Amino acid sequence: MLDLSGNVPIPKIIDFGYARFFNQSSKTYNKEGLNPHYLANECFNNFFSPQSDIFSLGVTMFHLLYGLPPWFSEISNYRKDKVNIEDTIIEARKKTLPFPEINEVDFDDQLINTIKKALHFDTDIRFKSAADMLEAINSNSVVENTDEITLQKSVKEESVKKSFSSIAKGKGFESIAGMKELKEQLQLSVIDAIKNPEKYKKYGVPLPNGILLYGPPRCGKTFFAKKFAEEVGFNYIYIKPSNLQSKYVNATQENIAKMFEEAEKNAPTIIFIDELDALVPNREGDLHQMHANAVNEMLAQMDRTGEKGIFIIGASNRPEKIDPAILGAGRLEKKFFIGTPDFEARKAMFEMYLKNRPIDFGINYELLAKLTENFVSGDIELIVNDSALIALKEETKITMKILEKVINCSKPTVSLSEIEKYNKLKLKMDSDNVPDTSTKRNPVGFKTNNK
């Protein structure tokens, strides 16, 4: 890498000491010593995702093609102070990205759009993986122009409005295969209370403020939350920590307050916060004051939200990392585990994904469900898609034999060790919800000396 912060470029070796696993806490992300021109905007807030690497790839491509990192010409006079460098870079990235003209070279729109997509401030718009980006570079997939690349300064009211959906319409829980026990629990303890507030008020039972959905990744927590909103007919706001977090002092708290203000204005509203542990981490231990302030703001805003027509759904793969006060009484006191799909759910998923495809007679959905224990929805969809591709090549219908062959060559996304870990976590979370009714007391008195 070249350090271009001075008048003379200085070569610098970056080793794998900066590497990290995606499942590590965001607090383990270390940006010190890295070239800020290559860092995605969210990295300045100590927030990292696979899409942050995509941004760095986009910078590398731009640098290779044009000789300088993107926006570099806009960044000339800054003091040798880390915060000011970051501020200047962020300010420069608010402008439309210029593509310099190079004599005798004419880059096509596909390549330009690929770079724009990789460098977009919104992680949802960037490529989902390096493989997707490679497909675009090789022109195996068409990339649309993302128009102006702008920086999301910090989440202002428009950002919350962008996340805001009108009243959720759809089939609700009917669209969710299986999960009968979970749906019944939610119906009894949450949905009935939301739909009949006067009845609960008559008996002095407070309206629920929110729930936590936790479990392994890719098991449908986000999908379940949206169908929950459809079931109760509420407005729906989808929020990620990166939508709210900011490097500026007090900005994160302001963004949180605006989110609740917008939700109350459009009540009844469901606020769904994905990756809740990243937004409200446990305040015990070494936690930056800005993160602690965000937790305090969330706690203040979550008080009596039920009375304001706001219901909060938090989702997390790591509920043990969430500040305990968030999961306390009057906030997200009800926790629901969403694990890998059960037998009935897997059977229904195969029926759903194979519907409207040319399938052979005699598809045994019960056997397919039995053969895919611990497979998540994405795994089952991939099995059906791969089977359809094989049938297409062979110019035949999708047969049971093809499906079984693909299943035998597939592995579930969630490993057995992860499932065991989450089962233990569920037992702990369930036990934490059960009040201690033990009447056993330590004996009080004099100790006798028995010889």
Side-chain angles (χ1 to χ4, degrees), residues 25-50:
S25 167
S26 60
K27 291 191 289 183
T28 65
Y29 175 64
N30 178 23
K31 65 181 178 182
E32 298 300 324
L34 295 177
N35 189 327
H37 298 288
Y38 282 80
L39 296 182
N41 304 323
E42 64 271 11
C43 293
F44 294 135
N45 304 331
N46 290 322
F47 184 83
F48 180 83
S49 75

Side-chain angles (χ1 to χ4, degrees), residues 163-423:
S163 304
F164 180 81
S165 298
S166 58
I167 292 179
K169 295 180 180 179
K171 295 183 179 180
F173 283 169
E174 288 183 21
S175 304
I176 301 176
M179 296 186 179
K180 182 180 177 181
E181 183 179 350
L182 176 59
K183 286 187 257 186
E184 288 177 349
Q185 288 180 19
L186 280 168
Q187 185 71 46
L188 179 64
S189 58
V190 178
I191 296 175
D192 287 347
I194 290 175
K195 289 186 173 181
N196 302 288
E198 294 301 323
K199 181 178 179 181
Y200 277 69
K201 185 177 180 181
K202 178 181 178 181
Y203 284 88
V205 178
L207 292 175
N209 282 350
I211 59 174
L212 174 71
L213 304 177
Y214 71 97
R218 297 189 68 197
C219 285
K221 293 184 287 294
T222 303
F223 179 73
F224 195 93
K226 188 170 184 179
K227 293 305 169 183
F228 179 93
E230 292 176 2
E231 188 71 20
V232 297
F234 277 22
N235 292 315
Y236 183 72
I237 297 178
Y238 172 74
I239 293 292
K240 297 183 299 183
S242 57
N243 294 140
L244 300 174
Q245 290 171 330
S246 172
K247 61 174 286 186
Y248 298 103
V249 176
N250 298 327
T252 303
Q253 294 99 288
E254 291 174 7
N255 296 334
I256 292 171
K258 287 171 184 173
M259 175 184 70
F260 278 93
E261 180 183 336
E262 187 69 22
E264 186 175 0
K265 189 188 301 182
N266 292 277
T269 303
I270 287 177
I271 299 176
F272 175 70
I273 305 176
D274 209 356
E275 300 175 14
L276 185 64
D277 51 280
L279 181 63
V280 285
N282 197 329
R283 288 170 293 179
E284 294 182 5
D286 184 21
L287 184 66
H288 194 280
Q289 186 59 41
M290 289 177 65
H291 292 292
N293 290 343
V295 177
N296 293 333
E297 181 65 28
M298 278 293 295
L299 290 171
Q301 292 290 342
M302 288 172 69
D303 272 341
R304 297 163 61 186
T305 54
E307 298 177 9
K308 301 174 184 177
I310 301 171
F311 189 80
I312 304 164
I313 302 178
S316 175
N317 302 332
R318 302 177 298 172
E320 72 281 4
K321 301 289 185 181
I322 299 173
D323 192 275
I326 295 290
L327 306 179
R331 295 185 177 102
L332 305 187
E333 56 190 22
K334 295 186 182 297
K335 297 101 178 166
F336 297 94
F337 178 74
I338 296 186
T340 54
D342 56 24
F343 178 86
E344 291 299 327
R346 297 195 301 276
K347 178 184 172 184
M349 285 174 187
F350 274 109
E351 292 173 348
M352 178 178 66
Y353 290 130
L354 286 168
K355 188 179 180 181
N356 299 325
R357 301 193 196 221
I359 58 175
D360 194 16
F361 292 107
I363 298 294
N364 188 337
Y365 293 104
E366 291 190 354
L367 178 57
L368 292 174
K370 185 178 179 181
L371 294 174
T372 51
E373 186 176 1
N374 298 328
F375 281 64
V376 298
S377 176
D379 297 333
I380 294 174
E381 183 178 11
L382 183 61
I383 288 169
V384 173
N385 288 340
D386 287 349
S387 300
L389 187 60
I390 292 172
L392 174 67
K393 290 179 179 178
E394 296 178 356
E395 296 185 354
T396 183
K397 293 183 177 180
I398 303 172
T399 65
M400 190 68 189
K401 184 178 179 180
I402 292 175
L403 287 163
E404 288 184 75
K405 181 181 178 181
V406 173
I407 291 172
N408 290 333
C409 297
S410 305
K411 289 184 179 180
T413 300
V414 184
S415 65
L416 287 173
S417 59
E418 276 192 284
I419 292 173
E420 181 62 27
K421 180 188 75 173
Y422 278 102
N423 285 337

